[in-house]
mmCIF file of all heavy atoms in Angstrom:
data_model
loop_
_atom_site.group_PDB
_atom_site.id
_atom_site.type_symbol
_atom_site.label_atom_id
_atom_site.label_comp_id
_atom_site.label_asym_id
_atom_site.label_seq_id
_atom_site.Cartn_x
_atom_site.Cartn_y
_atom_site.Cartn_z
ATOM 1 N N ALA K 23 -6.496 -9.658 -4.094
ATOM 2 C CA ALA K 23 -5.897 -8.645 -3.285
ATOM 3 C C ALA K 23 -6.513 -7.306 -3.483
ATOM 4 O O ALA K 23 -6.719 -6.860 -4.616
ATOM 5 C CB ALA K 23 -4.424 -8.577 -3.553
ATOM 6 N N SER K 24 -6.886 -6.637 -2.408
ATOM 7 C CA SER K 24 -7.375 -5.237 -2.441
ATOM 8 C C SER K 24 -6.135 -4.359 -2.717
ATOM 9 O O SER K 24 -5.007 -4.798 -2.752
ATOM 10 C CB SER K 24 -7.999 -4.837 -1.142
ATOM 11 O OG SER K 24 -7.057 -4.887 -0.076
ATOM 12 N N VAL K 25 -6.382 -3.060 -2.884
ATOM 13 C CA VAL K 25 -5.251 -2.141 -3.088
ATOM 14 C C VAL K 25 -4.309 -2.131 -1.931
ATOM 15 O O VAL K 25 -3.095 -2.322 -2.098
ATOM 16 C CB VAL K 25 -5.698 -0.728 -3.483
ATOM 17 C CG1 VAL K 25 -4.582 0.280 -3.428
ATOM 18 C CG2 VAL K 25 -6.378 -0.734 -4.848
ATOM 19 N N PRO K 26 -4.766 -1.911 -0.711
ATOM 20 C CA PRO K 26 -3.822 -1.975 0.449
ATOM 21 C C PRO K 26 -3.199 -3.373 0.573
ATOM 22 O O PRO K 26 -2.018 -3.452 0.930
ATOM 23 C CB PRO K 26 -4.653 -1.596 1.674
ATOM 24 C CG PRO K 26 -6.087 -1.705 1.250
ATOM 25 C CD PRO K 26 -6.108 -1.474 -0.227
ATOM 26 N N GLY K 27 -3.948 -4.366 0.206
ATOM 27 C CA GLY K 27 -3.430 -5.734 0.322
ATOM 28 C C GLY K 27 -2.299 -5.986 -0.643
ATOM 29 O O GLY K 27 -1.297 -6.630 -0.279
ATOM 30 N N ARG K 28 -2.326 -5.438 -1.860
ATOM 31 C CA ARG K 28 -1.283 -5.612 -2.814
ATOM 32 C C ARG K 28 -0.003 -4.874 -2.323
ATOM 33 O O ARG K 28 1.150 -5.367 -2.592
ATOM 34 C CB ARG K 28 -1.711 -5.246 -4.225
ATOM 35 C CG ARG K 28 -1.969 -3.796 -4.431
ATOM 36 C CD ARG K 28 -2.468 -3.499 -5.851
ATOM 37 N NE ARG K 28 -1.366 -3.693 -6.848
ATOM 38 C CZ ARG K 28 -1.551 -4.064 -8.091
ATOM 39 N NH1 ARG K 28 -2.803 -4.436 -8.474
ATOM 40 N NH2 ARG K 28 -0.580 -4.146 -8.902
ATOM 41 N N PHE K 29 -0.179 -3.662 -1.778
ATOM 42 C CA PHE K 29 1.001 -2.956 -1.277
ATOM 43 C C PHE K 29 1.610 -3.592 -0.074
ATOM 44 O O PHE K 29 2.836 -3.673 0.063
ATOM 45 C CB PHE K 29 0.600 -1.497 -0.956
ATOM 46 C CG PHE K 29 0.502 -0.607 -2.219
ATOM 47 C CD1 PHE K 29 -0.714 -0.310 -2.721
ATOM 48 C CD2 PHE K 29 1.647 -0.116 -2.739
ATOM 49 C CE1 PHE K 29 -0.802 0.522 -3.876
ATOM 50 C CE2 PHE K 29 1.571 0.707 -3.884
ATOM 51 C CZ PHE K 29 0.335 1.030 -4.435
ATOM 52 N N ARG K 30 0.746 -4.205 0.791
ATOM 53 C CA ARG K 30 1.284 -4.896 1.937
ATOM 54 C C ARG K 30 2.121 -6.119 1.502
ATOM 55 O O ARG K 30 3.202 -6.369 1.968
ATOM 56 C CB ARG K 30 0.137 -5.358 2.898
ATOM 57 C CG ARG K 30 0.643 -5.903 4.235
ATOM 58 C CD ARG K 30 -0.482 -6.558 5.012
ATOM 59 N NE ARG K 30 -1.636 -5.764 5.048
ATOM 60 C CZ ARG K 30 -1.884 -4.699 5.908
ATOM 61 N NH1 ARG K 30 -0.924 -4.397 6.804
ATOM 62 N NH2 ARG K 30 -2.982 -4.029 5.865
ATOM 63 N N SER K 31 1.512 -6.880 0.536
ATOM 64 C CA SER K 31 2.229 -8.043 0.064
ATOM 65 C C SER K 31 3.547 -7.707 -0.594
ATOM 66 O O SER K 31 4.569 -8.368 -0.436
ATOM 67 C CB SER K 31 1.352 -8.808 -0.919
ATOM 68 O OG SER K 31 0.175 -9.318 -0.300
ATOM 69 N N ALA K 32 3.548 -6.581 -1.329
ATOM 70 C CA ALA K 32 4.795 -6.144 -2.013
ATOM 71 C C ALA K 32 5.870 -5.821 -1.009
ATOM 72 O O ALA K 32 7.036 -6.147 -1.178
ATOM 73 C CB ALA K 32 4.467 -4.948 -2.888
ATOM 74 N N ALA K 33 5.469 -5.222 0.095
ATOM 75 C CA ALA K 33 6.442 -4.848 1.130
ATOM 76 C C ALA K 33 6.935 -6.095 1.881
ATOM 77 O O ALA K 33 8.203 -6.233 2.139
ATOM 78 C CB ALA K 33 5.782 -3.855 2.103
ATOM 79 N N LEU K 34 6.016 -7.010 2.171
ATOM 80 C CA LEU K 34 6.446 -8.252 2.837
ATOM 81 C C LEU K 34 7.379 -9.082 2.023
ATOM 82 O O LEU K 34 8.308 -9.728 2.574
ATOM 83 C CB LEU K 34 5.243 -9.037 3.306
ATOM 84 C CG LEU K 34 4.309 -8.409 4.372
ATOM 85 C CD1 LEU K 34 3.084 -9.205 4.588
ATOM 86 C CD2 LEU K 34 5.095 -8.281 5.671
ATOM 87 N N ARG K 35 7.164 -9.053 0.739
ATOM 88 C CA ARG K 35 8.066 -9.797 -0.191
ATOM 89 C C ARG K 35 9.514 -9.306 -0.105
ATOM 90 O O ARG K 35 10.453 -10.031 -0.455
ATOM 91 C CB ARG K 35 7.539 -9.806 -1.594
ATOM 92 C CG ARG K 35 6.325 -10.700 -1.797
ATOM 93 C CD ARG K 35 6.100 -10.974 -3.284
ATOM 94 N NE ARG K 35 5.863 -9.722 -4.017
ATOM 95 C CZ ARG K 35 4.633 -9.219 -4.219
ATOM 96 N NH1 ARG K 35 3.553 -9.882 -3.683
ATOM 97 N NH2 ARG K 35 4.436 -8.093 -4.885
ATOM 98 N N LYS K 36 9.644 -8.015 0.271
ATOM 99 C CA LYS K 36 10.980 -7.446 0.377
ATOM 100 C C LYS K 36 11.605 -7.749 1.723
ATOM 101 O O LYS K 36 12.739 -7.245 2.026
ATOM 102 C CB LYS K 36 10.872 -5.949 0.087
ATOM 103 C CG LYS K 36 10.439 -5.571 -1.270
ATOM 104 C CD LYS K 36 10.458 -4.088 -1.456
ATOM 105 C CE LYS K 36 9.969 -3.674 -2.837
ATOM 106 N NZ LYS K 36 10.863 -4.095 -3.889
ATOM 107 N N GLY K 37 10.854 -8.365 2.604
ATOM 108 C CA GLY K 37 11.425 -8.803 3.860
ATOM 109 C C GLY K 37 11.330 -7.785 4.976
ATOM 110 O O GLY K 37 11.998 -7.901 6.035
ATOM 111 N N VAL K 38 10.506 -6.773 4.866
ATOM 112 C CA VAL K 38 10.345 -5.736 5.858
ATOM 113 C C VAL K 38 9.429 -6.277 7.001
ATOM 114 O O VAL K 38 8.754 -7.304 6.865
ATOM 115 C CB VAL K 38 9.750 -4.430 5.299
ATOM 116 C CG1 VAL K 38 10.558 -3.915 4.180
ATOM 117 C CG2 VAL K 38 8.269 -4.648 4.915
ATOM 118 N N THR K 39 9.410 -5.576 8.120
ATOM 119 C CA THR K 39 8.578 -5.954 9.285
ATOM 120 C C THR K 39 7.131 -5.734 8.940
ATOM 121 O O THR K 39 6.743 -5.000 8.020
ATOM 122 C CB THR K 39 8.954 -5.140 10.515
ATOM 123 O OG1 THR K 39 8.629 -3.765 10.260
ATOM 124 C CG2 THR K 39 10.389 -5.304 10.839
ATOM 125 N N ALA K 40 6.258 -6.414 9.728
ATOM 126 C CA ALA K 40 4.801 -6.280 9.525
ATOM 127 C C ALA K 40 4.335 -4.800 9.746
ATOM 128 O O ALA K 40 3.443 -4.316 9.012
ATOM 129 C CB ALA K 40 4.070 -7.225 10.465
ATOM 130 N N SER K 41 5.006 -4.124 10.696
ATOM 131 C CA SER K 41 4.639 -2.813 10.967
ATOM 132 C C SER K 41 4.969 -1.851 9.767
ATOM 133 O O SER K 41 4.170 -0.984 9.381
ATOM 134 C CB SER K 41 5.443 -2.256 12.196
ATOM 135 O OG SER K 41 5.201 -0.876 12.439
ATOM 136 N N ARG K 42 6.175 -2.041 9.163
ATOM 137 C CA ARG K 42 6.548 -1.226 8.017
ATOM 138 C C ARG K 42 5.671 -1.552 6.796
ATOM 139 O O ARG K 42 5.283 -0.681 6.040
ATOM 140 C CB ARG K 42 7.980 -1.443 7.675
ATOM 141 C CG ARG K 42 8.975 -0.773 8.695
ATOM 142 C CD ARG K 42 10.421 -0.975 8.297
ATOM 143 N NE ARG K 42 11.322 -0.404 9.285
ATOM 144 C CZ ARG K 42 11.693 0.846 9.263
ATOM 145 N NH1 ARG K 42 11.186 1.689 8.342
ATOM 146 N NH2 ARG K 42 12.493 1.311 10.189
ATOM 147 N N ALA K 43 5.314 -2.801 6.664
ATOM 148 C CA ALA K 43 4.413 -3.210 5.599
ATOM 149 C C ALA K 43 3.065 -2.588 5.753
ATOM 150 O O ALA K 43 2.371 -2.176 4.756
ATOM 151 C CB ALA K 43 4.280 -4.735 5.584
ATOM 152 N N ALA K 44 2.576 -2.484 6.987
ATOM 153 C CA ALA K 44 1.255 -1.852 7.280
ATOM 154 C C ALA K 44 1.310 -0.381 6.861
ATOM 155 O O ALA K 44 0.324 0.174 6.308
ATOM 156 C CB ALA K 44 0.915 -1.999 8.720
ATOM 157 N N THR K 45 2.415 0.314 7.119
ATOM 158 C CA THR K 45 2.526 1.695 6.725
ATOM 159 C C THR K 45 2.510 1.852 5.264
ATOM 160 O O THR K 45 1.872 2.757 4.656
ATOM 161 C CB THR K 45 3.867 2.298 7.252
ATOM 162 O OG1 THR K 45 3.832 2.216 8.734
ATOM 163 C CG2 THR K 45 4.036 3.771 6.890
ATOM 164 N N TYR K 46 3.154 0.945 4.520
ATOM 165 C CA TYR K 46 3.224 1.027 3.085
ATOM 166 C C TYR K 46 1.810 0.716 2.502
ATOM 167 O O TYR K 46 1.412 1.361 1.566
ATOM 168 C CB TYR K 46 4.233 -0.011 2.572
ATOM 169 C CG TYR K 46 4.531 0.060 1.106
ATOM 170 C CD1 TYR K 46 5.045 1.214 0.573
ATOM 171 C CD2 TYR K 46 4.367 -1.032 0.263
ATOM 172 C CE1 TYR K 46 5.337 1.343 -0.775
ATOM 173 C CE2 TYR K 46 4.654 -0.940 -1.112
ATOM 174 C CZ TYR K 46 5.145 0.213 -1.652
ATOM 175 O OH TYR K 46 5.469 0.366 -2.968
ATOM 176 N N ALA K 47 1.115 -0.202 3.120
ATOM 177 C CA ALA K 47 -0.242 -0.526 2.665
ATOM 178 C C ALA K 47 -1.144 0.691 2.864
ATOM 179 O O ALA K 47 -1.969 1.015 1.993
ATOM 180 C CB ALA K 47 -0.783 -1.712 3.445
ATOM 181 N N LEU K 48 -1.003 1.342 4.030
ATOM 182 C CA LEU K 48 -1.785 2.543 4.291
ATOM 183 C C LEU K 48 -1.520 3.613 3.252
ATOM 184 O O LEU K 48 -2.450 4.233 2.669
ATOM 185 C CB LEU K 48 -1.470 3.069 5.703
ATOM 186 C CG LEU K 48 -2.147 4.397 6.081
ATOM 187 C CD1 LEU K 48 -3.689 4.223 6.138
ATOM 188 C CD2 LEU K 48 -1.601 4.826 7.437
ATOM 189 N N ALA K 49 -0.213 3.890 2.987
ATOM 190 C CA ALA K 49 0.112 4.899 2.051
ATOM 191 C C ALA K 49 -0.365 4.592 0.634
ATOM 192 O O ALA K 49 -0.940 5.458 -0.024
ATOM 193 C CB ALA K 49 1.665 5.104 2.076
ATOM 194 N N GLY K 50 -0.135 3.341 0.192
ATOM 195 C CA GLY K 50 -0.563 2.995 -1.075
ATOM 196 C C GLY K 50 -2.060 3.059 -1.295
ATOM 197 O O GLY K 50 -2.537 3.533 -2.381
ATOM 198 N N GLY K 51 -2.815 2.638 -0.271
ATOM 199 C CA GLY K 51 -4.275 2.704 -0.365
ATOM 200 C C GLY K 51 -4.833 4.121 -0.442
ATOM 201 O O GLY K 51 -5.669 4.454 -1.220
ATOM 202 N N VAL K 52 -4.284 4.923 0.516
ATOM 203 C CA VAL K 52 -4.790 6.326 0.531
ATOM 204 C C VAL K 52 -4.459 7.046 -0.732
ATOM 205 O O VAL K 52 -5.293 7.780 -1.351
ATOM 206 C CB VAL K 52 -4.135 7.062 1.746
ATOM 207 C CG1 VAL K 52 -4.463 8.571 1.652
ATOM 208 C CG2 VAL K 52 -4.739 6.538 3.043
ATOM 209 N N LEU K 53 -3.248 6.875 -1.246
ATOM 210 C CA LEU K 53 -2.818 7.590 -2.422
ATOM 211 C C LEU K 53 -3.555 7.135 -3.666
ATOM 212 O O LEU K 53 -3.937 7.935 -4.529
ATOM 213 C CB LEU K 53 -1.336 7.464 -2.603
ATOM 214 C CG LEU K 53 -0.466 8.169 -1.514
ATOM 215 C CD1 LEU K 53 0.989 7.797 -1.618
ATOM 216 C CD2 LEU K 53 -0.624 9.697 -1.578
ATOM 217 N N THR K 54 -3.786 5.795 -3.759
ATOM 218 C CA THR K 54 -4.493 5.262 -4.904
ATOM 219 C C THR K 54 -5.954 5.773 -4.942
ATOM 220 O O THR K 54 -6.476 6.143 -5.958
ATOM 221 C CB THR K 54 -4.477 3.776 -4.909
ATOM 222 O OG1 THR K 54 -3.133 3.277 -4.919
ATOM 223 C CG2 THR K 54 -5.251 3.197 -6.091
ATOM 224 N N GLY K 55 -6.607 5.780 -3.723
ATOM 225 C CA GLY K 55 -7.937 6.297 -3.600
ATOM 226 C C GLY K 55 -8.035 7.778 -3.998
ATOM 227 O O GLY K 55 -8.919 8.236 -4.689
ATOM 228 N N ASP K 56 -7.007 8.574 -3.560
ATOM 229 C CA ASP K 56 -6.943 10.002 -3.894
ATOM 230 C C ASP K 56 -6.801 10.229 -5.401
ATOM 231 O O ASP K 56 -7.485 11.110 -5.952
ATOM 232 C CB ASP K 56 -5.790 10.638 -3.156
ATOM 233 C CG ASP K 56 -6.037 10.805 -1.670
ATOM 234 O OD1 ASP K 56 -7.160 10.577 -1.213
ATOM 235 O OD2 ASP K 56 -5.071 11.175 -0.962
ATOM 236 N N LEU K 57 -6.062 9.344 -6.048
ATOM 237 C CA LEU K 57 -5.904 9.494 -7.492
ATOM 238 C C LEU K 57 -7.216 9.211 -8.179
ATOM 239 O O LEU K 57 -7.576 9.860 -9.174
ATOM 240 C CB LEU K 57 -4.803 8.571 -7.970
ATOM 241 C CG LEU K 57 -3.374 8.995 -7.624
ATOM 242 C CD1 LEU K 57 -2.375 7.870 -7.965
ATOM 243 C CD2 LEU K 57 -2.981 10.271 -8.430
ATOM 244 N N ALA K 58 -7.944 8.218 -7.667
ATOM 245 C CA ALA K 58 -9.282 7.937 -8.331
ATOM 246 C C ALA K 58 -10.196 9.118 -8.135
ATOM 247 O O ALA K 58 -10.957 9.443 -9.069
ATOM 248 C CB ALA K 58 -9.890 6.681 -7.639
ATOM 249 N N LEU K 59 -10.129 9.773 -6.975
ATOM 250 C CA LEU K 59 -10.977 10.987 -6.791
ATOM 251 C C LEU K 59 -10.578 12.058 -7.784
ATOM 252 O O LEU K 59 -11.443 12.724 -8.369
ATOM 253 C CB LEU K 59 -10.787 11.495 -5.414
ATOM 254 C CG LEU K 59 -11.580 10.791 -4.257
ATOM 255 C CD1 LEU K 59 -11.186 11.401 -2.909
ATOM 256 C CD2 LEU K 59 -13.110 10.977 -4.494
ATOM 257 N N SER K 60 -9.266 12.251 -7.948
ATOM 258 C CA SER K 60 -8.788 13.267 -8.897
ATOM 259 C C SER K 60 -9.238 12.975 -10.301
ATOM 260 O O SER K 60 -9.747 13.906 -10.975
ATOM 261 C CB SER K 60 -7.233 13.290 -8.902
ATOM 262 O OG SER K 60 -6.764 13.742 -7.633
ATOM 263 N N ALA K 61 -9.228 11.726 -10.723
ATOM 264 C CA ALA K 61 -9.657 11.375 -12.061
ATOM 265 C C ALA K 61 -11.215 11.604 -12.202
ATOM 266 O O ALA K 61 -11.627 12.080 -13.234
ATOM 267 C CB ALA K 61 -9.349 9.933 -12.342
ATOM 268 N N ALA K 62 -11.926 11.341 -11.115
ATOM 269 C CA ALA K 62 -13.394 11.481 -11.118
ATOM 270 C C ALA K 62 -13.751 12.964 -11.307
ATOM 271 O O ALA K 62 -14.552 13.353 -12.219
ATOM 272 C CB ALA K 62 -14.035 10.969 -9.891
#
């Protein structure tokens, strides 16, 4: 699983809609990438 993939899977396991899971995947991916930039 990629970073957005793991966030999408986590949301789907909670029973949310595919659309809401996509939003969570987007947020998790963007924020994780931003944190990596900050650390760099």
Side-chain angles (χ1 to χ4, degrees):
S24 66
V25 169
R28 67 183 286 148
F29 280 101
R30 190 189 314 277
S31 295
L34 291 173
R35 285 196 298 270
K36 295 181 181 295
V38 305
T39 64
S41 176
R42 289 182 180 274
T45 299
Y46 190 58
L48 174 64
V52 170
L53 294 171
T54 300
D56 288 350
L57 286 169
L59 279 176
S60 295

